[in-house]
């Protein structure tokens, strides 16, 4: 029995070592920085409503159905980190992409633009995925008009832009009719002139197709100020991520950072480092409340919650 137990333990350790060595999936921010040399500027927790429904966060509310406080604060943290990447020359045109489909780059694009607008900055979200556009569906817009109409000279920005709320400085532009030559259209001089003009008065977020299947994101990166690459925890591999980074840098694009998405907040695979902050903050806040309560018991004229004045 002892020999069998030791043999089982040895086999378990060998299996764990082999799995850890062979498994190349992205799971933790420090591994991304070590493997690729690119910084992680945002870590978003796993949220079912964000993955399944592509929910748009209303940052004017303290709480929202189906969205945890951790997710809201993580998006705000991503916004803040993005603003501090280059304080002397902050990026005005930002491409949001991923290695492969299904990493949540459209959801990140939508809520990053919403977060920027909630902070009082004019933001324009443009669906540059001219192959499988989803932004119009998220905001309930018409698919018939959008970016392609502006580039073709059939419409102006104000004709195709949608304002989700008059109180929030956010404009959304759909993809429009799907053209036969998306890459050529996105890499045209007219597209560059259009982005240069609107970026004078607003931060422009471009939701682009994934990098590896098509070249659209790399083409957009050449005319933008930087690129955010969204990776999915436990799904995207380091090889995929490195290939995406190489494809962008080959077109003289600049990778601003990586956004680690869908990170479990609990369990063995949890790498959501924000949870330690929130846990520490909550413990600190509780200690402060306890201290104030203790002081109020001895302070004259202080009314305690739920009790009469002492």
């Amino acid at each position: 029995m002892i020999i069998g137990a030791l043999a089982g333990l040895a086999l378990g350790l060998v299996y764990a070592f082999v799995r850890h060595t062979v498994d190349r999936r992205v799971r933790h921010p420090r591994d991304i920085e070590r493997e690729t040399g690119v910084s992680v500027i945002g870590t978003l927790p796993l949220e079912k409503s964000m993955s399944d429904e592509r929910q748009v966060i209303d940052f004017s509310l303290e709480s929202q159905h189906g969205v945890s406080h951790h997710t809201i604060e993580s998006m705000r943290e991503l916004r803040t980190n993005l603003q501090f990447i280059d304080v002397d020359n902050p990026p005005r045109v930002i491409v949001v992409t991923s290695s492969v489909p299904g990493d949540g780059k459209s959801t990140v694009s939508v809520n990053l633009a919403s977060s920027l607008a909630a902070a009082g900055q004019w933001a324009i979200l443009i669906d540059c995925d001219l192959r499988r556009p989803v932004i119009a569906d998220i905001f309930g817009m018409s698919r018939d008009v959008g970016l392609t109409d502006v580039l073709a000279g059939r419409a102006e920005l104000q004709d195709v832009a949608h304002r989700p709320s008059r109180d929030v400085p956010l404009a959304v532009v759909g993809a429009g009719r799907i053209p036969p030559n998306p890459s050529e259209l996105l890499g045209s001089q007219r597209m560059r002139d259009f982005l240069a003009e609107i970026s004078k008065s607003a931060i422009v977020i471009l939701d682009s197709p994934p990098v590896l299947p098509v070249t659209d994101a790399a083409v957009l990166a050449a005319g933008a100020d930087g690129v955010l690459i969204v990776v999915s925890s436990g799904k995207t591999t380091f090889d995929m991520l490195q290939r995406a980074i190489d494809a962008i840098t080959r077109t003289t694009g600049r990778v601003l950072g990586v956004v680690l998405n869908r990170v479990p907040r609990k369990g063995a695979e949890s790498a959501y480092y924000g949870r330690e902050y929130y846990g520490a903050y909550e413990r600190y806040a509780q200690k402060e409340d306890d201290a104030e309560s203790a002081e109020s018991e001895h302070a004259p004229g202080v009314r305690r919650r739920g009790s009469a004045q002492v």
Side-chain angles (χ1 to χ4, degrees):
M1 291 178 63
I2 295 176
I3 293 174
L6 292 176
L9 178 61
L11 289 174
L13 292 174
V14 170
Y15 171 76
F17 175 76
V18 172
R19 182 179 178 181
H20 177 74
T21 304
V22 175
D23 189 2
R24 294 282 296 164
R25 289 176 291 180
V26 174
R27 299 185 187 278
H28 202 282
R30 65 169 176 264
D31 297 331
I32 296 175
E33 296 173 1
R34 184 184 66 246
E35 291 278 344
T36 66
V38 178
S39 299
V40 176
I41 66 171
T43 303
L44 307 179
L46 178 63
E47 195 82 69
K48 184 175 178 58
S49 62
M50 304 292 290
S51 301
D52 298 341
E53 305 171 11
R54 294 192 176 101
Q55 185 169 350
V56 182
I57 299 174
D58 186 352
F59 290 92
S60 63
L61 303 176
E62 291 297 329
S63 61
Q64 196 168 341
H65 177 70
V67 181
S68 69
H69 173 71
H70 297 290
T71 299
I72 297 175
E73 287 302 319
S74 295
M75 288 304 306
R76 288 173 176 160
E77 182 182 12
L78 172 60
R79 176 190 67 196
T80 302
N81 293 341
L82 187 61
Q83 292 171 334
F84 280 96
I85 285 180
D86 190 347
V87 293
D88 294 327
N89 188 25
R92 303 287 295 178
V93 180
I94 303 168
V95 177
V96 180
T97 186
S98 59
S99 303
V100 292
D103 284 336
K105 52 105 180 152
S106 295
T107 305
V108 173
S109 301
V110 167
N111 288 292
L112 176 58
S114 178
S115 175
L116 290 167
Q121 303 181 65
W122 261 105
I124 300 178
L125 172 65
I126 303 178
D127 193 345
C128 293
D129 192 340
L130 304 184
R131 302 173 190 269
R132 297 179 61 186
V134 298
I135 299 298
D137 294 337
I138 294 175
F139 287 94
M141 301 162 49
S142 172
R143 283 190 168 196
D144 297 332
V145 293
L147 175 63
T148 53
D149 297 280
V150 175
L151 298 181
R154 295 192 297 263
E156 298 293 332
L157 175 63
Q158 58 268 23
D159 300 327
V160 300
H162 169 71
R163 291 284 304 278
S165 173
R166 293 295 172 184
D167 299 328
V168 179
L170 172 65
V172 181
V173 178
R177 294 183 179 89
I178 297 178
N181 55 341
S183 296
E184 289 77 7
L185 199 62
L186 295 174
S188 64
Q189 186 60 44
R190 191 175 183 89
M191 179 67 174
R192 291 173 181 257
D193 295 341
F194 173 63
L195 293 177
E197 181 63 28
I198 63 176
S199 64
K200 294 177 182 178
S201 57
I203 297 178
V204 185
I205 304 297
L206 307 179
D207 179 34
S208 78
V211 178
L212 299 185
V214 292
T215 61
D216 300 9
V219 169
L220 280 171
D225 296 327
V227 180
L228 293 180
I229 302 178
V230 180
V231 299
S232 185
S233 176
K235 175 187 174 184
T236 308
T237 66
F238 287 108
D239 298 329
M240 294 177 182
L241 176 57
Q242 188 61 58
R243 287 169 58 195
I245 294 172
D246 294 341
I248 292 170
T249 53
R250 277 197 299 268
T251 61
T252 67
R254 175 191 178 195
V255 178
L256 298 175
V258 172
V259 178
L260 183 57
N261 194 23
R262 298 172 183 167
V263 180
R265 294 201 301 267
K266 299 178 180 179
E269 296 183 355
S270 174
Y272 178 58
Y273 53 75
R275 65 189 177 91
E276 288 86 359
Y277 166 78
Y278 292 121
Y281 180 80
E282 290 168 359
R283 291 192 297 270
Y284 175 78
Q286 183 62 41
K287 290 181 180 179
E288 289 292 311
D289 291 341
D290 295 342
E292 290 178 0
S293 299
E295 291 178 0
S296 65
E297 292 180 355
H298 303 287
V302 176
R303 184 184 298 275
R304 298 178 60 192
R305 185 180 301 174
S307 62
Q309 184 171 354
V310 180

